[in-house]
Amino acid sequence: MHGERSACLLFAAARWQGDPACPRCEVVGKHYFHNGRLQWRCKACRYVFSVTSGTVFAHHKLPLNLYLGALLLFSNSVKGIPALRLARELNVQYKTAFVLVHKMREAMLIQRDESPLDGEVEMDGAYFNGHIRPANKKVNRIDRRKAKYQRPDKRVVITLRSRGTKGCGGRRTLTFVARSENQISVAKLARKYIAPGTTVFADEAPAYDVLSTHFVTRRINHQEEYRADDGTNTNTAEGFFLRLRRMQYGVSHHFSSMYLDLYANEAAYREDNRRRANGTIFAQNLTLCAATAPSREFSGYWQGNHRVVEQLV
Ligand SMILES: [Zn+2]
């Protein structure tokens, strides 16, 4: 119980700056603390709450230490952590680990900074889940380029990535999922997430033609070159996609299209925080989870509560 108490205090410090706030009536104060149960009773509305009430870890069934352990393993991994590995490290069921890791991804996405990017921004798209495995026999193989043979769950991740100081790669990365790379989606994202006066870099895909109406635009034709003589390139965005693909191939093995937004944003978070110390990332993740309301999509996941609509642009 001693370890549990320190875990509770660590979580409380990440959640509240000073005295706890009641999750029901929001009154901040020295609420009555029940030492044995590690619960507070609100002095205003008498509501009894724990340190996880009203957060992604609400109604937790396992010791708090275990959630902190999960957060630590999740934070320390470079390309994400598979649920199977998390289950083994923590000695919990696969189903528990699966839900836990998805809740952490969800908190990351809900809490992400969506303020417009500025300076120099690269915009690009990459397709996921589009691979069609060739049939065994040559006679049965189809022309995989034809529209009618495309997989229905094929999606594009569109990224907007602002550049850091020269030679330092990306500064901030925003990701979105769409059915295809088209002008409507590109215009919608650019208007909302790119500040006026920004220089936008994109490749030769016609979807990005719309950018020039609002921004100074620099284009690179990837059929010809990856970096133009004047320095124009989208290599920072391409670099992000490389890492996202490696996360898919090497760690998760499968990105369900339904949750592609969560995976893409997790990769973006890891990319943007790549130079921070692991202690900082752990503290940051703990704060994100404490600031996020109980998951609507992953609470009761194995009892049949699933996301039904994809989060598309
Ligand atoms: Zn209260």
Side-chain angles (χ1 to χ4, degrees), residues 112-113 117 159-162 170-176 236-237 240 264-265 267-269 271-272 274:
R112 81 171 166 184
D113 173 10
L117 301 163
T159 186
L160 293 101
R161 194 152 196 226
S162 67
R171 183 159 50 98
R172 192 150 66 87
T173 314
L174 290 174
T175 52
F176 303 90
T236 308
F240 167 70
N265 180 64
Y269 176 91
E271 224 8 56
D272 293 349
R274 65 198 178 278

Side-chain angles (χ1 to χ4, degrees), residues 22 25 42 45:
C22 168
C25 70
C42 173
C45 73

Side-chain angles (χ1 to χ4, degrees), residues 22-27 31 42-47 49:
C22 168
R24 184 190 274 173
C25 70
E26 289 167 8
V27 163
H31 303 300
C42 173
K43 60 180 178 183
C45 73
R46 329 275 303 156
Y47 180 62
F49 58 94

Side-chain angles (χ1 to χ4, degrees), residues 20 48 53 61 124 147 230 242 257 275 286 297 312:
V48 175
S53 302
K61 295 167 191 76
D124 198 12
D230 66 354
L242 272 174
S257 293
R275 295 202 178 93
L286 182 57
E297 293 176 338
L312 299 173

Side-chain angles (χ1 to χ4, degrees), residues 2 15 44 47 49 66-67 77 84 101 104 135 141-142 156 178-179 214 226 228 232 263 274 284 294 297:
H2 179 72
R15 184 174 183 189
Y47 180 62
F49 58 94
L66 197 133
Y67 294 87
S77 65
L84 185 64
V101 79
M104 293 190 277
R141 287 181 197 158
I142 47 164
V156 62
R179 282 186 197 278
H214 297 286
Y226 294 112
T232 302
Y263 291 108
R274 65 198 178 278
Q284 214 164 273
E297 293 176 338

Side-chain angles (χ1 to χ4, degrees), residues 243-312:
R243 251 92 62 189
L244 181 57
R245 284 209 196 279
R246 278 158 172 69
M247 184 172 149
Q248 182 188 28
Y249 294 157
V251 178
S252 300
H253 302 293
H254 173 70
F255 281 173
S256 129
S257 293
M258 181 62 88
Y259 300 117
L260 188 53
D261 58 328
L262 296 177
Y263 291 108
N265 180 64
E266 181 193 346
Y269 176 91
R270 294 188 186 284
E271 224 8 56
D272 293 349
N273 292 287
R274 65 198 178 278
R275 295 202 178 93
R276 295 220 158 94
N278 62 337
T280 313
I281 298 176
F282 171 76
Q284 214 164 273
N285 277 332
L286 182 57
T287 313
L288 292 184
C289 289
T292 308
S295 172
R296 267 181 301 161
E297 293 176 338
F298 295 103
S299 299
Y301 181 89
W302 296 107
Q303 283 76 44
N305 174 41
H306 291 190
R307 180 190 274 196
V308 282
V309 186
E310 279 178 57
Q311 306 294 308
L312 299 173

